[in-house]
């Protein structure tokens, strides 16, 4: 990921409503939500929601799929993971010693913990 793309993505998420929308979509997963469903869950007016979804889509954080006459907005997990990787890729490279697990993103750490229990 290039710095410009990371800045664009972070700027899109640096607004409370867009962050809430994105987090709701991440919780839902690849199935996504229609704008009507999102508006009801987050109590956001349709024109406002449309604006925020457009911003998230332009930043590459959200994809849209059509199913008949319905549009489903879903998170772009690939882009999200690239952004997280970009933020953490140089973790502790200038440190005198290894940072250990402190540099592992929380999602990766959680996945490791779940796998270790299994």
């Amino acid at each position: 990921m290039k710095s410009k793309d990371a800045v664009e993505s972070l700027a899109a998420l640096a607004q409370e409503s867009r962050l809430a929308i994105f987090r709701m979509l991440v919780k839902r997963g690849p199935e996504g939500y229609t704008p009507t469903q999102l508006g009801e869950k987050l109590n956001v007016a349709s024109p406002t929601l449309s604006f925020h979804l457009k911003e998230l889509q332009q930043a590459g954080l959200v994809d849209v799929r059509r199913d008949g006459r319905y549009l489903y907005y879903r998170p772009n997990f690939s882009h999200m993971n690239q952004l997280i990787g970009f933020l953490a890729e140089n973790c502790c490279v200038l440190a005198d010693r290894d940072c250990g697990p402190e540099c592992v993103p929380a999602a990766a750490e959680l996945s490791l913990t779940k796998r270790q229990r299994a």
Side-chain angles (χ1 to χ4, degrees):
M1 176 172 277
K2 296 178 182 174
S3 292
K4 181 183 177 218
D5 297 328
V7 168
E8 189 175 314
S9 295
L10 292 169
L13 293 172
Q15 199 282 338
E16 193 171 351
S17 295
R18 284 193 291 273
L19 182 60
I21 292 166
F22 184 72
R23 293 187 75 201
M24 180 64 70
L25 290 171
V26 168
K27 288 177 186 178
R28 178 68 169 179
E31 189 175 331
Y33 282 121
T34 65
T36 302
Q37 292 170 324
L38 271 173
E40 289 171 356
K41 291 191 171 296
L42 296 171
N43 196 26
V44 177
S46 293
T48 303
L49 180 63
S50 178
F51 171 78
H52 290 311
L53 286 169
K54 180 182 169 197
E55 293 291 314
L56 290 168
Q57 191 176 7
Q58 285 181 329
L61 291 162
V62 170
D63 287 331
V64 182
R65 73 174 168 84
R66 180 175 287 281
D67 186 7
R69 63 184 187 133
Y70 296 102
L71 294 176
Y72 287 86
Y73 288 84
R74 58 190 178 185
N76 181 342
F77 288 112
S78 173
H79 188 85
M80 178 188 76
N81 289 326
Q82 287 175 17
L83 178 60
I84 293 168
F86 175 83
L87 293 172
E89 74 183 341
N90 294 316
C91 187
C92 297
V93 296
L94 299 177
D96 291 335
R97 57 189 170 98
D98 185 20
C99 296
E102 294 172 8
C103 254
V104 177
E109 192 174 275
L110 183 60
S111 295
L112 289 173
T113 305
K114 284 182 179 179
R115 282 188 220 140
Q116 290 169 348
R117 289 183 198 157

